[in-house]
Amino acid sequence: MKQILIIPYRDRDKNLKVFIPVMKKYLPTCEIYVVEQYDKKPFNKGAVINAGMHFVNGFGDYYGFHDVDTIPEQA
């Protein structure tokens, strides 16, 4: 069972540096793909997610999406 997590991203370096290690801790076997929008147009999260899914489609059994500025907490 291969899990893939797609992260839509733009201009959140500080968040990304915290996010990746935390998610590796919670999902140690999950592959994380950060998909970045480079143009200067308003951020289009849906288009970035679609591009990421197009890239990784067929690589895994389960796919998830998560925002880089939201960190899960342990209850």
Side-chain angles (χ1 to χ4, degrees):
M1 174 177 80
K2 189 172 180 183
Q3 302 168 336
I4 294 179
L5 187 62
I6 298 171
I7 311 300
Y9 171 82
R10 182 166 79 177
D11 299 330
R12 303 258 180 179
D13 294 334
K14 184 177 177 182
N15 296 101
L16 188 62
K17 288 178 183 175
V18 173
F19 180 83
I20 297 295
V22 170
M23 292 309 288
K24 287 286 190 183
K25 175 184 165 191
Y26 282 107
L27 302 168
T29 61
C30 183
E31 288 185 19
I32 299 174
Y33 290 85
V34 178
V35 184
E36 185 172 11
Q37 179 177 331
Y38 281 107
D39 62 23
K40 298 297 181 189
K41 296 178 183 176
F43 186 59
N44 188 337
K45 180 179 173 183
V48 175
I49 288 172
N50 286 342
M53 189 61 200
H54 179 76
F55 177 75
V56 301
N57 193 20
F59 289 2
D61 300 307
Y62 297 98
Y63 301 90
F65 311 95
H66 204 285
D67 293 334
V68 73
D69 58 354
T70 306
I71 305 292
E73 291 184 14
Q74 196 169 18

